[in-house]
Amino acid sequence: MSPLKTSFPKDKMKIVLLENISQSALDSFTKAGYTHIEQHTGALSGEELDTVLKDAKVVCVRSKTQLTEEVITKAKKLVAIGCFCIGTNQVDLEAANKAGVCVFNAPFSNTRSVAELVIASAIMLIRRIPDKNRAAHAGEWDKDSTNAHEIRGKRLGVVGYGHIGSQVSILAEAIGLRVFYYDVENKLPLGNAEEISDLKSLIEHCDILTLHVPGTKQTQNLFDEQVLNWFQKGQLLVNMSRGDVVDISALKEALEEKRISGAAIDVFPEEPKNKDEMFTSPLQNVSNVILTPHIGGSTEEAQWNIGLDVSSKLIKYIESGASLGSKSIPELSLPKMEDTHRILHIHKNVSGVLSEINSIISKLDVNILGQYLSTNLEVGYVVLDISKNDSLDTLKEFKRIDHTIKVRILY
Ligand code: NAI
């Protein structure tokens, strides 16, 4: 597939990469023909950031660079922001939306990394490796097989059968686990997995429980004292979702009372902000507990995939206007059109703009080959595929429409 021709020359399209973003992103941009790429290893802020962004069309960040309303407003040429991470907390999304700047992230690129660690942790727990490991480090030779089991044939209960939960389900079946799941939404079972309609039955039915719910008001303290009391037969618990889903003190009690015989916990209600801060948890030094520092999704492969995912979304947006996955401006999935010009018009979502667009089209007698619209509360996003002869006049007229935020002609 030959790359689309854009009206804005690719060699002049300044793309800024901050915070040591994966080489896979740089490779994607260069492969797509973008050569004006500026790289900085660290995060930037203040005047330095403003200067770098003054003539930038695209900025790519990880989680440290703060793209505030002030920064976004000053970066007048900015068309898109790539967050090369899972979340978008570092960007003022409302400001980006109002400025017509499209924001992408990579919410699912580390799914496999988490799923693998869940399976690995379940095997470690069922063999009581945390205790054996500690003993061996202390010079003890504990070869006893009591309470060490194979994972094959055991029942795994997945709470939250979304991207990660369903990946865990596939890996688990491949090594002989029987999979059951509970989700608040109807989810199609993969393989031989079976849905269980309530959480209590799932817990009572399974040997190992693994949590993959999002962080919402409903999931906060979902595994509180009452729910943890439903564990009675020395089951195992894995939490790699959110730190506030499990009541840690109640979990400690259940572990000490052997109602739960082991736990792998990767996320905590309070986590250190950086390497220098001390990590403390009531679960430290509790028998058969694996504690990891929120690294479920932290692998080099995940970083590589994030690089590919976000850069390809950015390239698609720059070249075709497709905004599917956008966290700011309205989402549009667009077909590719041959032998047309495509004009993008982002405007304030107020009455009158659409009728003005349509009256310009009829005034200029523009031949429309495709028209797409999506809106959110603040912003409307219109894409027009028009006959090549009509494009320049239309563009000029569109720029004059009141409440216009951004207009671009693509190809
Ligand atoms: P997802 O959105 O694809 O799936 C979540 C699933 O949970 C959905 O199917 C949803 O319907 C279900 N759900 C929501 N509320 C529920 C409830 N009260 N009870 C049962 N099911 C419920 O999310 P994804 O990508 O699978 O992520 C799951 C969790 O893993 C998130 O909390 C995310 O932050 C976390 N995560 C942790 C990482 C780590 O490093 N430990 C890395 C990546 C994600």
Side-chain angles (χ1 to χ4, degrees):
M1 195 173 68
S2 59
L4 295 168
K5 283 191 202 115
T6 54
S7 61
F8 196 88
K10 285 188 178 185
D11 59 343
K12 299 217 162 51
M13 168 107 35
K14 181 174 167 186
I15 299 175
V16 177
L17 301 187
L18 303 176
E19 301 183 60
N20 236 349
I21 283 165
S22 171
Q23 180 69 29
S24 60
L26 183 64
D27 293 349
S28 299
F29 286 125
T30 24
K31 203 167 151 203
Y34 297 92
T35 48
H36 189 7
I37 299 175
E38 186 174 311
Q39 279 183 286
H40 297 261
T41 48
L44 294 182
S45 60
E47 259 179 48
E48 213 178 350
L49 180 60
D50 293 342
T51 310
V52 163
L53 296 190
K54 207 170 168 198
D55 52 347
K57 292 271 183 194
V58 177
V59 60
C60 303
V61 298
R62 286 172 71 182
S63 52
K64 289 206 180 86
T65 305
Q66 299 299 309
L67 297 173
T68 59
E69 181 173 12
E70 200 187 337
V71 173
I72 292 170
T73 315
K74 280 185 189 160
K76 297 265 183 272
K77 303 255 161 71
L78 208 57
V79 167
I81 294 170
C83 297
F84 285 71
C85 48
I86 307 303
T88 49
N89 291 345
Q90 70 283 45
V91 180
D92 186 330
L93 293 177
E94 215 180 303
N97 183 36
K98 281 185 188 157
V101 175
C102 194
V103 180
F104 292 111
N105 63 336
F108 307 120
S109 295
N110 59 5
T111 296
R112 178 66 184 223
S113 303
V114 182
E116 286 187 7
L117 192 61
V118 169
I119 299 295
S121 303
I123 295 174
M124 291 290 157
L125 293 177
I126 209 162
R127 297 288 291 268
R128 301 198 67 81
I129 299 299
D131 291 348
K132 305 246 181 227
N133 175 55
R134 192 177 308 146
H137 277 281
E140 284 173 47
W141 195 245
D142 176 11
K143 273 175 65 68
D144 191 359
S145 62
T146 312
N147 292 328
H149 296 279
E150 286 185 3
I151 203 139
R152 182 171 47 159
K154 301 295 178 298
R155 292 160 177 256
L156 176 71
V158 179
V159 183
Y161 204 64
H163 286 82
I164 297 175
S166 55
Q167 245 330 286
V168 168
S169 168
I170 292 169
L171 296 183
E173 281 200 344
I175 55 168
L177 278 152
R178 295 182 58 196
V179 178
F180 302 86
Y181 67 89
Y182 163 72
D183 199 296
V184 284
E185 302 293 340
N186 285 333
K187 295 279 167 156
L188 188 72
L190 299 178
N192 294 314
E194 287 174 44
E195 187 171 6
I196 289 194
S197 59
D198 69 284
L199 186 57
K200 190 163 190 270
S201 307
L202 184 84
I203 293 174
E204 288 170 352
H205 195 66
C206 292
D207 305 296
I208 307 160
L209 274 298
T210 183
L211 315 187
H212 302 292
V213 292
T216 62
K217 263 195 184 148
Q218 288 72 36
T219 61
Q220 217 172 12
N221 247 352
L222 181 66
F223 276 62
D224 60 6
E225 196 176 348
Q226 187 199 348
V227 170
L228 289 167
N229 268 327
W230 295 338
F231 287 76
Q232 292 297 337
K233 49 182 173 118
Q235 296 122 297
L236 303 172
L237 178 71
V238 177
N239 183 20
M240 305 219 172
S241 61
R242 292 295 183 108
D244 57 7
V245 172
V246 178
D247 177 337
I248 295 286
S249 306
L251 172 62
K252 185 181 180 189
E253 213 175 296
L255 284 160
E256 286 173 346
E257 291 171 4
K258 307 289 178 215
R259 283 183 285 109
I260 295 183
S261 65
I265 308 294
D266 185 49
V267 288
F268 301 87
E270 274 156 40
E271 297 180 358
K273 287 186 189 61
N274 54 49
K275 269 187 192 162
D276 305 326
E277 257 181 49
M278 189 78 181
F279 167 63
T280 55
S281 166
L283 297 177
Q284 280 161 333
N285 300 315
V286 176
S287 173
N288 209 29
V289 170
I290 300 172
L291 302 181
T292 45
H294 205 147
I295 42 139
S298 304
T299 60
E300 293 195 10
E301 286 80 0
Q303 287 307 319
W304 186 265
N305 290 335
I306 288 170
L308 285 181
D309 184 21
V310 182
S311 59
S312 69
K313 285 175 186 160
L314 288 167
I315 292 168
K316 215 167 167 192
Y317 178 64
I318 299 166
E319 297 188 358
S320 79
S323 57
L324 206 65
S326 163
K327 294 285 159 193
S328 51
I329 66 162
E331 292 187 77
L332 269 184
S333 171
L334 299 166
K336 218 178 122 184
M337 289 288 273
E338 302 290 340
D339 291 326
T340 59
H341 274 174
R342 178 166 283 177
I343 297 184
L344 316 182
H345 188 267
I346 302 176
H347 53 266
K348 277 192 198 161
N349 189 11
V350 292
S351 59
V353 178
L354 275 184
S355 61
E356 208 167 331
I357 288 178
N358 288 328
S359 71
I360 289 170
I361 288 166
S362 74
K363 186 179 86 188
L364 296 177
D365 200 18
V366 172
N367 189 14
I368 300 264
L369 301 154
Q371 184 169 15
Y372 315 90
L373 164 72
S374 183
T375 56
N376 60 31
L377 273 181
E378 298 280 345
V379 164
Y381 180 30
V382 172
V383 175
L384 287 174
D385 287 326
I386 61 177
S387 149
K388 287 194 165 182
N389 304 333
D390 300 328
S391 59
L392 272 179
D393 287 343
T394 317
L395 181 70
K396 273 187 214 150
E397 292 286 325
F398 275 12
K399 279 186 174 166
R400 288 194 197 118
I401 297 175
D402 263 357
H403 307 296
T404 296
I405 299 172
K406 272 189 169 48
V407 193
R408 285 198 294 145
I409 182 162
L410 285 193
Y411 52 86

